Amino acid sequence: RADSTEWLEAAGGLRFCDMKVGVGVQAERGLLVGLHFEGFRLNGKTVESSWPQGLPLIVEVGHTPDFPAIGEGIVGMREGGRRELVVPPRMNRPGVEEV
């Protein structure tokens, strides 16, 4: 069960909902954080995931050119949290047409 069912909108039209609110350190712009992610197309097919490698993706909160939606989408999260993002096409990872 999600901690929240409220969808919020961030910069660039990115939408997000906290599925689990963490209790640790808050992700503030400029911090380097490690996270796991899964990206899915609208049809449910996985685009990419950090889970098979078992290693988290390291990103700068608020500024991640290779993953613009992730960089913006984690601003304000707390360690241990889980957030679902709905990414507008203009915020896709470079080279990804539709997610």
Side-chain angles (χ1 to χ4, degrees):
R1 183 165 173 231
D3 284 350
S4 172
T5 56
E6 180 180 7
W7 284 87
L8 302 172
E9 191 164 317
L14 177 72
R15 295 181 58 227
F16 66 92
C17 180
D18 286 318
M19 307 309 284
K20 177 183 175 190
V21 176
V23 295
V25 176
Q26 187 170 15
E28 297 178 5
R29 291 182 186 281
L31 288 178
L32 289 179
V33 300
L35 59 89
H36 280 285
F37 75 97
E38 289 182 287
F40 298 94
R41 294 194 182 279
L42 294 175
N43 66 8
K45 182 179 177 188
T46 301
V47 175
E48 60 186 318
S49 173
S50 65
W51 290 104
Q53 294 81 15
L55 298 172
L57 174 70
I58 306 299
V59 298
E60 181 181 340
V61 178
H63 180 74
T64 307
D66 290 341
F67 289 88
I70 291 178
E72 282 298 321
I74 61 174
V75 173
M77 283 186 73
R78 291 197 172 273
E79 184 178 2
R82 183 174 179 166
R83 183 173 280 179
E84 189 169 315
L85 308 177
V86 176
V87 180
R90 66 184 167 279
M91 291 186 78
N92 281 349
R93 182 178 167 145
V96 176
E97 298 286 321
E98 173 264 334
V99 176

